[in-house]
Amino acid sequence: MKLNKNGAWKSDTHAASASGVVRDRNRSWLWEFTRNLGCCLLLEAELWPILDGLNLLWMQGFRCVEIESESAAAVCIISDESVAKHSISLVRTIRAL
């Protein structure tokens, strides 16, 4: 399964939303999701769609998931295993999945 995600964030108001698309191994569209995040930090706007997409896939029984993100910061913070207990709960929850 492949999760393509997008976090949208406005720098002037910090208003944000999260969305994503789930595709199968043949790249066929399966479903999409979206969430209004209200006001948050840019990094949170990049992390929420990863968590939402993983939760959606886990509920459907999928455990092998490729995540595609345009956010280098989100990818680095999630994949950096040297930070065992990160202060951002979103990162800890994503890692737990």
Side-chain angles (χ1 to χ4, degrees):
M1 303 303 286
K2 184 170 184 177
L3 167 63
N4 293 92
K5 63 87 182 165
N6 184 40
W9 184 78
K10 291 185 176 184
S11 61
D12 58 339
T13 63
H14 293 195
S17 64
S19 61
V21 174
V22 176
R23 299 178 187 276
D24 65 15
R25 69 178 129 197
N26 299 318
R27 299 185 184 235
S28 297
W29 178 91
L30 297 177
W31 60 82
E32 61 187 61
F33 59 92
T34 187
R35 172 199 288 255
N36 180 359
L37 298 173
C39 292
C40 67
L41 300 172
L42 174 58
L43 182 59
E44 292 173 314
E46 297 294 347
L47 292 171
W48 269 110
I50 294 172
L51 179 59
D52 287 346
L54 287 175
N55 277 327
L56 185 61
L57 286 157
W58 256 239
M59 287 188 308
Q60 297 297 319
F62 298 105
R63 298 297 183 264
C64 185
V65 179
E66 177 183 339
I67 302 169
E68 186 173 303
S69 172
E70 75 288 349
S71 172
V75 171
C76 287
I77 202 167
I78 292 168
S79 59
D80 184 2
E81 294 182 20
S82 67
V83 185
K85 292 188 176 182
H86 200 276
S87 61
I88 299 175
S89 62
L90 282 172
V91 174
R92 291 193 312 264
T93 306
I94 290 167
R95 285 184 179 172
L97 288 172

